[in-house]
Amino acid sequence: MKVVLFCGGYGMRMRDGASDLPKPMHPVGPRPLIWHVMRYYAHFGHKDFVLCLGYGAHHIKNYFLNYDETESNDFVLHQGEVELMGSDISDWNITFVHTGLDSPIGERLRRVRSLVQDEEMFHANYADVLTDAPLDAMVEQFAGTDAVGQLMAVPPQSAFHCVDVDENGKLDSITTLQEMPIWENGGYLMFRPEIFDFLEKDCDLIADAAAPLARKGRMSAYRHRGFWQPADTVKERNALEAAYQSGARPWMLWESHGTDRDPLQAAIAEMQRASHQRD
C-alpha cells in the first residue's frame, strides 16, 4: 500500500523562534520525525511514499537528496571508504509533490490523486505522531469493511479530570478523561480511492469529508490503547527526545524485533507501554 504523508503545514505550535524547520523535520534522536513515521510503515512492508510538501519543502527535499545512511546504521571505514552494515531507505520509493503553502489537508490529498487513485487502499498520515500500533491488524480490519476510510482511534491525552456536578453544585464523581468512552483521531488513516468523490476544492479532510462519511456509516476506526505520542508542540517533541535518549522507544518496532536488543532498553520500553495501557 502507498503511504501519503502530509508534511506541508506551518506547524506554528512547534516553533521555537530559532528555526524555520517544518514540523516533520524536527529531530527525535539523529533522525527527523518524518523518518520515524516512514520507518514505521517500512517495517510493515509499506515503502512507497508520497510526500505532500508545502512550507519548508526544501528542508525535506535536501534531507533525502543528501541522506546520510551512517547516522542510523553501523558501518566499516576502510582506507577512506565506507562500507555500510545496514541501510534504511535503499528500497524506498519517495515521490515529492508540492501541494501548496496554505492548502488544507483535503486539498493536499486531492493534488496527489493521480498517484493513488488506482490503489485498492492507501495509507495517509500527518507525519507528526509516533505509535507502536499493529499496522497489519489495522489493514486487515479495514480490508474487511466496505468503509471509505478508517482512522486509528486513541484515548484522549489531556491530563485534566472530568467532574459530574448536579444542579446544587454537589460533586458526584471525578474521573480522568481517559476513563470516559471518548476517543480521538490518532492520525493514522487509511482510505479507498472513493474518498476523492467526497473531497471538494480546498476542503478539510476530516471535517468536510470523513465526518459526513461517518454520519453515513462509511468510516471505521481501529481502537489502540498502546503507545501513541504526538509531536504537535515543542514540549511533546522534547518528551519524545527524552524517551529516545533514555532507550524507551516503543515506536521503533524495527529495533524491538532484533535479537541483539539491549535488555535494559527493552525493559524500559515495556514499562512505558504498560503505563500507557493503564492510562
Side-chain angles (χ1 to χ4, degrees), residues 79-157:
Q79 296 183 346
E81 297 293 327
V82 173
E83 179 183 342
L84 289 169
M85 299 176 66
S87 175
D88 297 321
I89 72 170
S90 61
D91 58 348
W92 294 5
N93 184 68
I94 309 174
T95 303
F96 300 80
V97 182
H98 202 292
T99 55
L101 285 176
D102 300 303
S103 301
I105 298 297
E107 179 62 21
R108 294 192 189 281
L109 183 55
R110 284 182 74 246
R111 295 188 184 189
V112 298
R113 176 175 184 169
S114 63
L115 299 173
V116 296
Q117 63 183 359
D118 295 329
E119 299 290 307
E120 180 180 355
M121 302 180 294
F122 62 90
H123 296 283
N125 194 291
Y126 301 121
D128 62 359
V129 179
L130 304 181
T131 186
D132 66 351
L135 188 60
D136 286 351
M138 287 193 282
V139 172
E140 182 179 3
Q141 176 179 297
F142 185 44
T145 72
D146 64 352
V148 177
Q150 176 174 285
L151 57 81
M152 184 174 75
V154 297
Q157 301 300 297

Side-chain angles (χ1 to χ4, degrees), residues 168-188:
N168 298 317
K170 179 183 177 182
L171 190 60
D172 293 326
S173 66
I174 302 176
T175 60
T176 64
L177 196 57
Q178 289 82 6
E179 293 176 287
M180 301 187 70
I182 300 174
W183 299 81
E184 66 181 37
N185 176 12
Y188 282 72

Side-chain angles (χ1 to χ4, degrees), residues 23-273:
K23 182 165 53 175
M25 285 303 297
H26 282 262
V28 175
R31 297 295 193 190
L33 273 165
I34 192 172
W35 177 90
H36 289 270
V37 174
M38 295 169 76
R39 189 68 178 79
Y40 167 84
Y41 281 106
H43 173 72
F44 288 96
H46 307 284
K47 302 178 181 181
D48 196 344
F49 301 96
V50 178
L51 306 190
C52 297
L53 305 175
Y55 171 79
H58 64 287
H59 286 291
I60 298 174
K61 291 178 180 178
N62 289 339
Y63 178 76
F64 285 104
L65 286 172
N66 301 287
Y67 190 81
D68 184 359
E69 291 275 15
T70 64
E71 286 188 2
S72 54
N73 289 290
D74 295 335
F75 63 95
V76 176
L77 182 63
H78 178 66
Q79 296 183 346
E81 297 293 327
V82 173
E83 179 183 342
L84 289 169
M85 299 176 66
S87 175
D88 297 321
I89 72 170
S90 61
D91 58 348
W92 294 5
N93 184 68
I94 309 174
T95 303
F96 300 80
V97 182
H98 202 292
T99 55
L101 285 176
D102 300 303
S103 301
I105 298 297
E107 179 62 21
R108 294 192 189 281
L109 183 55
R110 284 182 74 246
R111 295 188 184 189
V112 298
R113 176 175 184 169
S114 63
L115 299 173
V116 296
Q117 63 183 359
D118 295 329
E119 299 290 307
E120 180 180 355
M121 302 180 294
F122 62 90
H123 296 283
N125 194 291
Y126 301 121
D128 62 359
V129 179
L130 304 181
T131 186
D132 66 351
L135 188 60
D136 286 351
M138 287 193 282
V139 172
E140 182 179 3
Q141 176 179 297
F142 185 44
T145 72
D146 64 352
V148 177
Q150 176 174 285
L151 57 81
M152 184 174 75
V154 297
Q157 301 300 297
S158 173
F160 293 108
H161 287 86
C162 298
V163 296
D164 185 10
V165 186
D166 67 15
E167 295 179 354
N168 298 317
K170 179 183 177 182
L171 190 60
D172 293 326
S173 66
I174 302 176
T175 60
T176 64
L177 196 57
Q178 289 82 6
E179 293 176 287
M180 301 187 70
I182 300 174
W183 299 81
E184 66 181 37
N185 176 12
Y188 282 72
L189 311 165
M190 280 178 268
F191 294 103
R192 290 184 166 90
E194 189 181 348
I195 185 64
F196 293 106
D197 296 337
F198 299 89
L199 294 178
E200 301 292 337
K201 183 175 176 60
D202 292 325
C203 75
D204 180 75
L205 177 60
I206 301 301
D208 298 327
L213 281 167
R215 290 192 289 270
K216 297 177 181 179
R218 300 298 310 282
M219 286 289 296
S220 64
Y222 183 91
R223 290 182 290 189
H224 179 60
R225 288 190 177 275
F227 179 85
W228 181 86
Q229 176 63 55
D232 207 32
T233 65
V234 173
K235 181 179 179 180
E236 290 171 342
R237 207 288 303 174
N238 288 343
L240 281 172
E241 179 65 22
Y244 181 92
Q245 295 301 336
S246 73
R249 310 164 187 170
W251 69 89
M252 297 181 70
L253 299 175
W254 53 96
E255 283 192 346
S256 64
H257 290 279
T259 58
D260 59 348
R261 191 185 188 201
D262 186 317
L264 177 59
Q265 290 187 8
I268 294 172
E270 287 301 322
M271 289 171 60
Q272 186 184 56
R273 183 179 292 108

